[in-house]
Amino acid sequence: MLFALALIAAPAMAAPETRAPTEAELKAFDAWYGKQFPDSQAAKPVLSITRADPKSAWRIAAALDSPPRRGIGALCRMQRTEFSFAGHWSAAAQPRHYAWLERSACSRPAQAVEMLQQMPDVDVLGLLERQVALLHNARILLGGNTACASQRSFRYTLTQLAVGSAGPSPEVLAGLVFKSDHDTLATVWARRSGLEYNVWNVSCP
């Protein structure tokens, strides 16, 4: 599975507060979107309004997902274009890219893994299929890393895939970014050897 990698039970984090958009907010967005994309034949973006807690300001945003498409094997991909409101509406400069595994017909998932950089299908498929084993093998490194030691036993969910380097070596590695149930991040850096991936390093911001 793509998600929920747990070694111990932990309390769930509080979900952000949400509310439905008002009629005025919907009309304002529809008017702006119609002017910016007059030839669009796609479904309109979906508005979301959230805040972290009752003392926080409401965050108004919108997103439009492309139809999911099949990659190699069980790999599915899609793009998400995002819009934000800060006194006026604006669209993000670049779409965000997501991937997940689904052996039946690709459908919009409840949660998918974001691709921070473009990666070939074969690498994305391999990392998603091996993420459980890679996280398990990285637990020892997490315990030995000063910045990560306290997170060793947290429950993790894979949220992003990245390409970069870890430590002093300039070697390009694949980074699996996991978010914990304590709202922390840990990146497992993996090195490809043939068709396999081996844990090379870990980092925690």
Side-chain angles (χ1 to χ4, degrees):
M1 291 180 63
L2 275 180
F3 318 114
L5 310 174
L7 289 186
I8 64 170
M13 290 164 44
E17 185 180 353
T18 64
R19 69 167 174 83
T22 65
E23 183 176 352
E25 288 168 338
L26 288 170
K27 288 182 177 179
F29 177 77
D30 286 347
W32 175 84
Y33 187 79
K35 290 180 180 179
Q36 298 297 315
F37 306 94
D39 299 325
S40 175
Q41 300 298 315
K44 290 183 179 179
V46 176
L47 267 68
S48 64
I49 304 178
T50 61
R51 63 181 178 183
D53 55 67
K55 295 182 180 180
S56 301
W58 289 105
R59 177 181 178 272
I60 305 176
L64 176 64
D65 292 344
S66 68
R69 66 175 179 84
R70 173 68 66 188
I72 63 172
L75 182 65
C76 299
R77 288 180 178 263
M78 74 176 185
Q79 294 183 9
R80 175 171 295 159
T81 303
E82 295 185 330
F83 309 84
S84 59
F85 182 81
H88 60 84
W89 280 101
S90 61
Q94 298 294 332
R96 300 170 73 172
H97 299 266
Y98 293 86
W100 67 98
L101 300 182
E102 188 171 356
R103 299 198 178 276
S104 57
C106 291
S107 58
R108 288 181 175 83
Q111 187 174 6
V113 177
E114 183 179 6
M115 313 295 302
L116 297 183
Q117 291 89 20
Q118 287 296 311
M119 300 173 67
D121 276 9
V122 64
D123 288 316
V124 179
L125 178 65
L127 291 168
L128 294 182
E129 288 181 334
R130 294 165 176 82
Q131 56 151 311
V132 175
L134 288 169
L135 177 61
H136 176 76
N137 294 338
R139 294 283 183 177
I140 295 177
L141 291 180
L142 288 171
N145 184 300
T146 303
C148 301
S150 62
Q151 304 185 41
R152 179 180 178 180
S153 297
F154 288 177
R155 178 184 299 176
Y156 283 102
T157 300
L158 180 64
T159 58
Q160 297 174 324
L161 291 179
V163 176
S165 58
S169 173
E171 182 177 3
V172 176
L173 305 169
L176 295 87
V177 183
F178 292 92
K179 185 174 182 179
S180 80
D181 55 349
H182 289 62
D183 204 25
T184 61
L185 297 176
T187 301
V188 175
W189 295 99
R191 183 183 190 187
R192 182 175 175 179
S193 178
L195 296 178
E196 294 301 317
Y197 295 85
N198 301 308
V199 175
W200 192 253
N201 205 343
V202 294
S203 60
C204 298

